[in-house]
Amino acid sequence: FVYFLCIDDKVVYVGQTIVGLYRSFSHRDKEYNNVKILICCETQLDGLEGFYIKKYTPRYNIIGNNREFQLVAININNKEEKT
């Protein structure tokens, strides 16, 4: 299922699990006071988790955590090229 860690009605984290409620309560590093769950098929987990992360932009979810990555190029050569 997909689970939502919330402070009151505000979603602060979206996650997914196939091992039951244990995973949703293992986030001791996050502040929340209730958990909501969305029961779905295992094949839907990635899509639904990503959808809800984009929809709610929870403060504990970071870019890249929803299997989307940004490529950043960094130029470490500060020398000017002479032509």
Side-chain angles (χ1 to χ4, degrees), residues 10-22:
K10 182 172 176 56
V11 176
V12 295
Y13 183 78
V14 177
Q16 62 168 284
T17 184
I18 57 172
V19 295
L21 287 174
Y22 171 77

Side-chain angles (χ1 to χ4, degrees), residues 53 60-70:
I53 289 172
Y60 292 123
N61 289 98
I62 57 172
I63 293 175
N65 207 22
N66 62 356
R67 287 137 186 98
E68 290 184 12
F69 299 92
Q70 294 180 340

